[in-house]
Amino acid sequence: MSAARPAAGPAPRISVVICVHTEERWDDILAAVASVESQSRPAHEVLVVVDHHPALLARLRERFSSAHAGAPASRAPATPVRIMANSGPQGLSAGRNTGVAVAGGEIVAFLDDDAVAGRDWLCHFAAAYADPAVMAVGGRTEPVWASGRRPAWFPEEFDWVVGCTYRGLPPGRVRVRNVLGGNASFRRVALDLVGGFSVGIGRDAGRRPLGCEETELCIRISRSLPDAVLLIDDRSVIHHRVPAARERFGYFRSRAYAEGLSKALVTRSVGARDGLSAERRYTTRVLPVGVLRGVRDALLHRPGGAGRAGAIVAGVTAAAAGYAWGTVRARRARPKPSERRGVDRPADGTAAGAAPERSGAAV
């Protein structure tokens, strides 16, 4: 399958999608939107997608309609903010697909609802898309710990557990297999080509804290466009809030186990060669060095050294257990997760139904 590559030309318009699901993050949501409105390189629009929460939907609509209504032209926000309901099944992937379906920009960027973007976040994204071969660009996500500092036992190699950039990723602007979904952007043509995010792999408010939906999407993009370039530019920074509950070892272990479950679904969809290519390097090179670093710090009586080494071992064990169980369950389920419907864009520009819940293993 192939698609026409965009030609070099004027800087593309960037639509920013923020998916939200709970009123408990009200202040975080407003901060996320404000950070996009204050970008040095203005966004084309902000699309806030509410995941099956009527009260939050009404509250956001009232908040932004009242904020924009009656404002003098000199003070009117440069970036329109649109509030909409998730038109697909509950979950992050369907919410993102809802935003993609109505986005007016050639680039669609995604920002977590509990994160704020650095002022030049979109500026660096846009610069990378000057190369027509670039189909996706991600950035660096820094943790903002609720306690004020990183727990001494929490290894940087596992910062992905809290949705942040982890030790082991190469610095600078580099090619990668996949970007990380909470701080990422894609060409609209690539999303349309592969049918958007797969519903059934990623997060659902009523289930375990799953992930990997962006990994599976990026692999499909690379397979459909073999010459596609996917990048991470660590100058595109966002700051992601880590609540106290996620600083605990119980969450760490549960999230690692859930990652294994998610990886099993990804490999069932795209195969183990692509689905685990980056993970092999991570587990054979990055993590052993992390364990040795922790042991060294323990021998030098530095705080948390033994805890970090132990947490790495526990995290790998939990993820492996999740992958093993997820593989068993995925093999029992039919059809494959890759059997999906694409993202539709109706003629009137309103949100079409996102991809339906796929048949497959219920996690």
Side-chain angles (χ1 to χ4, degrees), residues 74-85:
S74 60
R75 296 184 180 180
T79 305
V81 179
R82 301 169 60 188
I83 312 298
M84 64 197 66

Side-chain angles (χ1 to χ4, degrees), residues 50-335:
V50 182
D51 193 15
H52 297 269
H53 195 311
L56 178 58
L57 179 67
R59 187 179 180 189
L60 283 167
R61 282 177 170 166
E62 197 274 333
R63 165 66 174 78
F64 284 98
S65 63
S66 62
H68 296 171
S74 60
R75 296 184 180 180
T79 305
V81 179
R82 301 169 60 188
I83 312 298
M84 64 197 66
N86 177 4
S87 61
Q90 186 176 22
L92 181 57
S93 291
R96 286 172 170 168
N97 287 342
T98 297
V100 172
V102 302
E106 293 80 25
I107 307 299
V108 182
F110 298 94
L111 178 66
D112 277 349
D113 63 346
D114 52 356
V116 293
R119 180 169 169 75
D120 295 327
W121 179 56
L122 294 181
C123 178
H124 294 298
F125 277 174
Y129 285 108
D131 179 355
V134 173
M135 293 293 142
V137 185
R140 186 173 83 250
T141 302
E142 297 285 357
V144 179
W145 303 95
S147 61
R149 62 180 180 178
R150 172 187 298 276
W153 62 269
F154 202 113
E156 292 182 33
E157 290 83 358
F158 271 78
D159 275 6
W160 56 262
V161 164
V162 291
C164 296
T165 302
Y166 55 90
R167 184 195 289 265
L169 286 178
R173 182 193 285 181
V174 293
R175 292 188 68 162
V176 292
R177 180 195 65 181
N178 63 276
V179 298
L180 304 180
N183 178 9
S185 62
F186 299 86
R187 283 200 194 271
R188 175 60 190 272
V189 293
L191 293 172
D192 287 344
L193 174 65
V194 301
F197 291 89
S198 294
V199 178
I201 291 180
R203 286 183 180 266
D204 181 321
R207 298 178 180 175
R208 286 183 179 273
L210 303 177
C212 295
E213 61 270 30
E214 65 277 355
T215 300
E216 194 264 357
L217 171 68
C218 288
I219 292 172
R220 283 190 284 122
I221 290 175
S222 294
R223 286 184 170 183
S224 297
L225 296 169
D227 296 329
V229 174
L230 285 69
L231 301 172
I232 285 182
D233 188 334
D234 64 7
R235 297 171 299 174
S236 291
V237 180
I238 70 170
H239 303 275
H240 187 274
R241 189 173 67 83
V242 182
R246 297 188 181 184
E247 295 184 11
R248 300 170 185 162
F249 181 73
Y251 179 84
F252 176 92
R253 183 175 54 192
S254 175
R255 179 67 184 87
Y257 179 79
E259 185 74 1
L261 292 172
S262 299
K263 280 292 189 295
L265 290 176
V266 170
T267 56
R268 173 156 176 76
S269 175
V270 301
R273 186 186 67 177
D274 290 336
L276 297 177
S277 59
E279 287 73 16
R280 292 189 185 97
R281 176 188 177 277
Y282 173 72
T283 56
T284 60
R285 300 183 185 180
V286 175
L287 295 186
V289 172
V291 171
L292 292 175
R293 187 182 299 112
V295 171
R296 179 202 63 189
D297 289 348
L299 293 174
L300 294 174
H301 304 289
R302 294 172 179 169
R308 289 192 297 275
I312 291 173
V313 174
V316 171
T317 302
Y323 180 79
W325 178 236
T327 299
V328 170
R329 298 190 67 173
R331 285 174 178 171
R332 294 174 180 172
R334 295 294 186 274

